Amino acid sequence: MRINADFTKRVAVHFDETEWVQSPAAGVERKMLDRIGEEVARATTIVRFAPGSAFAAHTHDGGEEYLVLDGVFQDELGDFPTGMYVRNPPTSSHTPATEPGATILVKLHQFDPDDRTEVRQPIAGEGRVDLHRDAVEEVRVERWAAGEAVQVDADGGLEVFVLSGSYAEGGETFGKWDWLRVPPKGAFQAAAGPDGAEVWVKSGHLSQMI
């Protein structure tokens, strides 16, 4: 399976224009943003867990990072409520589940094989919140004021996911849970909407894909 697999191209996925797809696990649905592979894949996905649903225990050979968008996500390590960012490195394993239900943004099989960094951090705060940084990539949450002009370095590629509010870029408006991927050597120049914008940003990590 290949979805938005050409990393030389700008890709925009609008949440309200994308259908949910049933996963192999009962009560678990997905909106696939990009994907290379079948059930074990290099993937960026919005996943919705119905109350009481779970995935079977599994190991993340290529690592996993996720942001809880709604509800409470759970595994053997604890409860992760809305606004929690988690990085589970390669070789880690867990049994994901949720009693109350949850929606997450998750990226799979995108870590350096030698990466062993674990992160469990809430995104709450004022302005910018740095979540992870290494020699390859940077992950953060940014908060833009109403009407603010924003320019972000996209030399190594960029992903922007809207948590709340909106922004305009490239002739498109991006609202809640919309996703934009800018290729390496691309440009990101945007204007925050009338209520500002809170966005999850990942940069510098896409050069290896082209």
Side-chain angles (χ1 to χ4, degrees):
M1 183 184 299
R2 296 180 66 87
I3 298 172
N4 295 326
D6 185 347
F7 288 83
T8 68
K9 298 186 181 300
R10 176 187 182 276
V11 177
V13 178
H14 295 275
F15 180 83
D16 291 338
E17 299 173 5
T18 308
E19 298 297 324
W20 290 106
V21 177
Q22 181 62 46
S23 81
V28 182
E29 300 173 296
R30 303 182 285 203
K31 294 195 179 194
M32 300 180 186
L33 306 181
D34 66 25
R35 192 175 190 89
I36 300 174
E38 299 304 320
E39 196 50 41
V40 177
R42 183 201 188 281
T44 304
T45 314
I46 301 171
V47 185
R48 180 170 67 182
F49 292 79
S53 61
F55 254 113
H58 56 272
T59 299
H60 291 291
D61 294 330
E64 169 196 58
E65 66 178 324
Y66 65 84
L67 177 62
V68 183
L69 304 175
D70 184 61
V72 180
F73 191 65
Q74 300 164 311
D75 63 16
E76 297 89 336
L77 298 174
D79 294 352
F80 301 98
T82 300
M84 184 66 70
Y85 172 73
V86 175
R87 288 178 69 93
N88 292 322
T91 74
S92 63
S93 61
H94 68 161
T95 306
T98 175
E99 282 302 315
T103 304
I104 65 172
L105 171 69
V106 60
K107 296 179 72 67
L108 299 172
H109 288 272
Q110 300 179 36
F111 285 31
D112 183 306
D114 296 325
D115 188 347
R116 293 296 180 270
T117 303
E118 296 183 3
V119 178
R120 292 170 182 82
Q121 181 178 340
I123 66 169
E126 297 295 328
R128 172 173 168 149
V129 176
D130 292 312
L131 301 172
H132 174 74
R133 178 182 294 179
D134 58 28
V136 175
E137 66 183 33
E138 183 177 315
V139 185
R140 59 200 183 271
V141 167
E142 296 188 10
R143 295 173 175 90
W144 304 332
E148 181 179 349
V150 180
Q151 182 169 337
V152 180
D153 177 21
D155 189 60
L158 179 74
E159 294 179 53
V160 182
F161 185 86
V162 181
L163 301 175
S164 63
S166 65
Y167 71 88
E169 190 275 345
E172 290 184 79
T173 297
F174 293 83
K176 184 177 179 180
W177 296 1
D178 290 349
W179 174 77
L180 173 67
R181 190 183 74 205
V182 178
K185 307 300 183 183
F188 181 87
Q189 294 181 325
D195 297 319
E198 180 184 40
V199 298
W200 180 89
V201 179
K202 185 179 178 78
S203 61
H205 60 303
L206 296 176
S207 296
Q208 60 184 314
M209 300 303 297
I210 61 174

